[in-house]
Amino acid sequence: MSRIFEVDTPAVLIDIDRVEASLKRAQDYADAHGIKLRPHIKTHKLPRFAKRAMALGAVGITVQKLGEAEVMADAGISEIFLPYNILGAAKLARLKALHERVHITVTADSVDIVAGLSSTFAHAAQPLTVLVECDTGMGRCGVQSPEAALELARTIAASPGLVFGGLMTYPAAGQVEANQAFLAAAKAALIAAGLAPAIISNGGTPDLWHAHEVTAATEHRPGTYIYMDRFQVSKGVGGFEDCALTVLATVVSRPTENRAIIDAGSKALTSDTLGMSGFGLIEAYPGAQIVGLSEEHGTIDLTGCVDKPQIGDKIRIIPNHACVVSNLFDRVTLISGDDVVESVRVDARGRVD
Amino acid sequence: MSRIFEVDTPAVLIDIDRVEASLKRAQDYADAHGIKLRPHIKTHKLPRFAKRAMALGAVGITVQKLGEAEVMADAGISEIFLPYNILGAAKLARLKALHERVHITVTADSVDIVAGLSSTFAHAAQPLTVLVECDTGMGRCGVQSPEAALELARTIAASPGLVFGGLMTYPAAGQVEANQAFLAAAKAALIAAGLAPAIISNGGTPDLWHAHEVTAATEHRPGTYIYMDRFQVSKGVGGFEDCALTVLATVVSRPTENRAIIDAGSKALTSDTLGMSGFGLIEAYPGAQIVGLSEEHGTIDLTGCVDKPQIGDKIRIIPNHACVVSNLFDRVTLISGDDVVESVRVDARGRVD
């Protein structure tokens, strides 16, 4: 069995013990509060972890692209939620083909989207379940008010080939009360109209441990929780000891006393800062700051370091944002402690459509 | 023949006429000034464009990773420059294997790197040519002074299995005079020491049209010039009419009067801002601002738009940074005007090591 520092760089290491602990912690929390979990696979893009979450009790998985749904369906997962507005002939045909082999559910936030779905599924053997996406504060997709949610639910319920399945939101981080208020009002309006929502789906890792405060919701869709990252730690969702994904890099140059250059740049770490300073955390060198990235180089300022890494030294970086890193590597290396377990292909990487 | 707006989204469109014009413009400029071109393939990652540049007069290609060199060698390109510090047993073995089938040249900026190269090539049939990387202002890799360049050149020349090939820099944008001053001083010192540099390799698209002012250099390695992007236009290197790479996206939601959501997020455009505001330019809607990206959504502020795109409309985006977009897509669509020519695999995408 080889050791992690023998892996060629740059490489993504996934600590499977931390993965298991995070999956269990979230499932235990959900069980304790009577919330269903429908984890988002965007963070890991690996069928094995999707299946493991379901074995622990998740009711299904969430994906963000048809291509991701296809990969997961091919891997044998049959309960898939795709909270996205699907439109256009090519994508609607793919959705219909998926619907014929797995139980796939989607969202809509406008009558245009509902019309396209209805014309596709009007003559299908089984209707398509559609949830109404609600903008409860994020400012992205979604209907803008509980009243608009009811109106669109009515449209879905009246559309051939479709079944109204409930509500979905991706909320703004930290806005638990506003999220709850919107969903509760929409739920009440739907019940009053005879359209009781079977599912009210809430999401996001930043407020995962507050999911039970959104009492209107029936389920939660966390994604990043499986790997965690520097951003989630900054939000207090977990500690660095929970971070399962690290990027292994090698110091390739020490051009000055206080500058180290590593072989991980934006093609390995991405330029996501998520409002933080620097491009990741190096636990072994707490005084080191990753101050700049070009595509194939990372620039580290060692001014604050007592022990400074030398050329050839390998370092592990907790990235700012784990999900985007998973999308950059064809393969990741599963590890346990300092031991390499297996190299696996990231099957759902790069599914752009 | 299909038309570009029939392509499913998100997709990368490459205008082959603009590619050809940009390759010719740069080669004509280089020829007029007696500068050799050794274009960097990182921007396109496609053997066909590497070969086209060479057919027009480029003396070879530049790559940034061994994996990119392997793809290009497999495609039949035999003159490859890899300006990177190669170290570690795995990478040195790959370099040696490449060196046995193509003419590959590398750089070094420390005695540690030179020692690893020398021990690998000491008994090789042909010596490896190594250039000294110079930090002429970029603050990344490279020796810090002309004197240090001479010292490392002496070490290379004295190392079994290695040949000193000259100097290489990736300069800071806009610092043409400082770049020239460093290289000229290093060149003079080398000549005085009997180590006349065969190659002095300068790089970068931002100062491509100033390459002739760096009279010490013998060649230039532009990369982004083939596609151009919003950043290069902001630097005056070309106009939007030269931008060959665009991301085609679809409006999937219009939740409010002034908000549009597209199906291109950071997985299509990346979060690179390069110091600019927003995440790309939409020529057809000059008042629109791409104000936010999550992984699979782009948020557009339409406040400044008179005509506003509707759900289902497809829009073309000139990204901030073309090179990083090429790395996110397994395939790109070659176009000519509004016609689709061919879908091609991005062979050197994702070569992380």
Side-chain angles (χ1 to χ4, degrees):
Chain A
M1 184 178 281
S2 64
R3 309 278 284 175
I4 58 173
F5 288 104
E6 297 168 26
V7 175
D8 201 16
T9 63
V12 171
L13 309 179
I14 306 293
D15 185 318
I16 57 173
D17 306 314
R18 293 182 178 192
V19 164
E20 181 72 8
S22 289
L23 292 180
K24 280 188 175 150
R25 192 180 303 122
Q27 189 63 53
D28 288 348
Y29 164 81
D31 291 344
H33 291 284
I35 303 167
K36 290 172 181 165
L37 274 197
R38 200 181 298 272
H40 206 306
I41 63 86
K42 76 188 181 92
T43 305
H44 54 80
K45 306 184 194 296
L46 294 169
R48 69 173 64 201
F49 289 156
K51 289 178 179 175
R52 182 60 189 152
M54 290 186 71
L56 288 169
V59 297
I61 62 164
T62 306
V63 301
Q64 209 61 26
K65 288 283 168 173
L66 278 166
E68 293 175 345
E70 288 159 350
V71 168
M72 295 295 155
D74 289 347
I77 294 172
S78 57
E79 180 61 43
I80 301 176
F81 183 34
L82 172 55
Y84 209 83
N85 290 330
I86 301 297
L87 75 167
K91 288 197 176 70
L92 287 166
R94 289 166 66 193
L95 177 61
K96 195 172 182 193
L98 267 169
H99 181 256
E100 284 163 10
R101 60 184 179 123
V102 297
H103 185 242
I104 187 162
T105 306
V106 301
T107 56
D109 70 354
S110 68
V111 293
D112 309 72
I113 300 299
V114 172
L117 294 171
S118 181
S119 65
T120 304
F121 286 89
H123 304 290
Q126 297 291 329
L128 177 74
T129 300
V130 182
L131 280 70
V132 172
E133 179 164 0
C134 301
D135 180 2
T136 64
M138 176 69 177
R140 206 166 62 183
C141 295
V143 298
Q144 297 295 301
S145 67
E147 299 70 31
L150 172 60
E151 191 180 328
L152 193 60
R154 283 188 165 126
T155 302
I156 293 167
S159 295
L162 306 185
V163 169
F164 168 65
L167 306 174
M168 168 264 166
T169 184
Y170 186 83
Q175 297 186 20
V176 175
E177 286 181 30
N179 190 25
Q180 161 67 11
F182 187 117
L183 295 175
K187 179 182 176 183
L190 287 163
I191 290 172
L195 286 167
I199 293 173
I200 298 184
S201 186
N202 188 21
T205 293
D207 290 315
L208 173 58
W209 310 124
H210 296 277
H212 65 285
E213 298 169 27
V214 184
T215 56
T218 62
E219 66 173 39
H220 201 81
R221 309 181 317 278
T224 315
Y225 79 113
I226 188 170
Y227 287 167
M228 300 296 285
D229 55 26
R230 187 173 174 232
F231 176 73
Q232 300 296 342
V233 173
S234 81
K235 293 292 174 189
V237 187
F240 289 121
E241 69 280 9
D242 300 315
C243 292
L245 183 151
T246 50
V247 173
L248 186 70
T250 300
V251 175
V252 296
S253 181
R254 281 294 315 278
T256 70
E257 176 62 23
N258 286 319
R259 191 197 309 160
I261 306 294
I262 55 173
D263 60 358
S266 68
K267 254 179 67 181
L269 292 164
T270 86
S271 44
D272 277 19
T273 60
L274 304 178
M276 297 178 291
S277 172
F279 297 94
L281 177 89
I282 310 170
E283 282 192 287
Y285 297 94
Q289 308 288 331
I290 307 176
V291 292
L293 298 180
S294 40
E295 281 155 79
E296 307 289 8
H297 302 83
T299 302
I300 302 178
D301 181 354
L302 302 175
T303 307
C305 284
V306 180
D307 293 322
K308 303 183 185 192
Q310 299 305 311
I311 291 172
D313 285 352
K314 290 186 179 177
I315 60 175
R316 292 176 72 179
I317 301 161
I318 297 173
N320 289 343
H321 189 186
C323 316
V324 291
V325 172
S326 283
N327 191 49
L328 292 172
F329 285 76
D330 290 347
R331 303 188 74 84
V332 295
T333 302
L334 306 186
I335 64 169
S336 177
D338 287 339
D339 292 324
V340 170
V341 175
E342 189 182 353
S343 166
V344 297
R345 202 163 70 92
V346 185
D347 287 329
R349 184 213 60 76
R351 304 294 154 157
V352 294
D353 61 12
Chain B
M1 182 178 283
S2 64
R3 309 278 284 176
I4 57 172
F5 289 103
E6 297 167 26
V7 175
D8 200 16
T9 63
V12 171
L13 309 179
I14 306 293
D15 185 319
I16 56 173
D17 306 314
R18 292 183 179 191
V19 164
E20 181 72 8
S22 289
L23 292 180
K24 281 189 174 149
R25 192 179 305 120
Q27 190 63 53
D28 288 348
Y29 164 80
D31 290 345
H33 292 283
I35 303 166
K36 290 171 181 167
L37 275 196
R38 198 181 301 270
H40 206 306
I41 64 87
K42 77 188 179 93
T43 304
H44 55 80
K45 306 183 193 297
L46 294 169
R48 70 174 63 200
F49 289 155
K51 289 179 179 175
R52 181 60 189 154
M54 289 187 71
L56 288 169
V59 296
I61 63 165
T62 306
V63 301
Q64 210 60 26
K65 289 282 168 176
L66 278 164
E68 293 174 345
E70 287 159 351
V71 168
M72 295 295 156
D74 290 347
I77 292 173
S78 57
E79 180 62 42
I80 300 176
F81 183 34
L82 172 55
Y84 210 82
N85 288 332
I86 301 297
L87 75 168
K91 288 196 175 70
L92 287 167
R94 289 167 65 194
L95 177 62
K96 194 172 181 193
L98 266 168
H99 181 255
E100 284 164 7
R101 59 184 180 124
V102 298
H103 185 243
I104 187 162
T105 306
V106 301
T107 56
D109 70 353
S110 68
V111 292
D112 308 71
I113 301 299
V114 172
L117 295 171
S118 180
S119 65
T120 304
F121 287 89
H123 303 290
Q126 297 291 329
L128 177 73
T129 300
V130 181
L131 281 68
V132 172
E133 179 164 0
C134 301
D135 180 1
T136 64
M138 177 68 176
R140 207 167 62 183
C141 295
V143 297
Q144 297 294 301
S145 67
E147 297 72 30
L150 170 59
E151 193 179 326
L152 193 60
R154 283 188 164 127
T155 302
I156 294 168
S159 295
L162 306 185
V163 169
F164 169 64
L167 305 174
M168 168 264 167
T169 184
Y170 186 84
Q175 297 185 21
V176 174
E177 285 182 30
N179 190 25
Q180 161 67 11
F182 186 118
L183 295 176
K187 178 182 176 182
L190 287 162
I191 290 171
L195 286 168
I199 294 174
I200 298 184
S201 185
N202 187 21
T205 292
D207 289 316
L208 172 58
W209 311 124
H210 297 276
H212 66 284
E213 297 169 28
V214 184
T215 55
T218 61
E219 66 174 39
H220 201 82
R221 309 180 317 279
T224 316
Y225 80 113
I226 187 171
Y227 287 168
M228 302 295 286
D229 55 25
R230 187 172 174 233
F231 176 73
Q232 299 297 342
V233 173
S234 81
K235 293 292 176 189
V237 187
F240 289 120
E241 69 279 9
D242 301 314
C243 292
L245 183 152
T246 51
V247 172
L248 187 69
T250 300
V251 175
V252 296
S253 180
R254 279 295 312 280
T256 71
E257 175 62 23
N258 285 319
R259 190 197 311 159
I261 305 294
I262 54 173
D263 61 359
S266 68
K267 255 179 66 182
L269 293 163
T270 86
S271 44
D272 276 20
T273 60
L274 304 178
M276 297 179 292
S277 171
F279 297 94
L281 178 89
I282 310 169
E283 282 192 289
Y285 297 94
Q289 308 287 331
I290 307 175
V291 293
L293 298 180
S294 39
E295 280 155 78
E296 305 291 7
H297 302 82
T299 302
I300 302 179
D301 180 354
L302 302 175
T303 307
C305 283
V306 180
D307 293 322
K308 302 181 185 194
Q310 300 304 312
I311 291 172
D313 285 353
K314 290 186 179 177
I315 60 175
R316 291 176 73 180
I317 301 161
I318 297 173
N320 289 343
H321 190 185
C323 314
V324 290
V325 172
S326 284
N327 190 49
L328 293 172
F329 285 77
D330 290 347
R331 303 188 73 85
V332 296
T333 302
L334 306 186
I335 64 171
S336 177
D338 287 339
D339 293 323
V340 170
V341 175
E342 189 181 354
S343 166
V344 297
R345 202 163 71 93
V346 185
D347 287 328
R349 184 212 61 76
R351 304 294 154 157
V352 293
D353 61 12

